[in-house]
Amino acid sequence: MKVTWAAHGGQAAAIRLGLPPKVLDTDALPESAAVELDRLVAAAVPEAEEERPGHARDAMSYTITVEDGGRSTTLTRSDTTMSPAFAALLSRLEEHFAQQ
């Protein structure tokens, strides 16, 4: 499974402008970490079609694209519209990329 993560907007938008999205291939992870990420993705994907109203000034928005077995799913949420499942997935991705 390949997971691509990008953040947009917010107060630091100019800093991130033009930066490529971050990519994580679960084949490169230890098995326990890959299983955890798979679980977090499975929890966040069913809500991808739910509408979540809400806008906030200078809010960040996040796009997480999951490619697995020829299927691609894109999740897009903002600071004001993310669910607990999306927040958990985002948090795990942020932790992973902070360690690199």
Side-chain angles (χ1 to χ4, degrees):
M1 176 171 62
K2 183 171 95 172
V3 180
T4 305
W5 171 63
H8 315 278
Q11 293 183 354
I15 295 170
R16 285 185 304 281
L17 192 62
L19 291 177
K22 298 182 181 201
V23 179
L24 172 61
D25 188 342
T26 58
D27 290 342
L29 295 176
E31 185 176 347
S32 62
V35 168
E36 177 193 7
L37 189 61
D38 191 48
R39 180 186 60 77
L40 291 169
V41 166
V45 166
E47 68 192 22
E49 299 302 317
E50 293 178 19
E51 292 230 2
R52 296 191 178 274
H55 295 287
R57 194 174 163 131
D58 292 327
M60 297 275 298
S61 63
Y62 309 93
T63 302
I64 299 173
T65 302
V66 180
E67 297 175 43
D68 191 19
R71 194 175 110 208
S72 180
T73 303
T74 301
L75 308 168
T76 304
R77 292 288 183 256
S78 72
D79 288 334
T80 59
T81 62
M82 72 175 71
S83 68
F86 186 94
L89 174 59
L90 179 63
S91 177
R92 182 61 194 106
L93 291 172
E94 287 174 334
E95 288 173 16
H96 172 78
F97 290 116
Q99 293 173 0
Q100 289 187 333

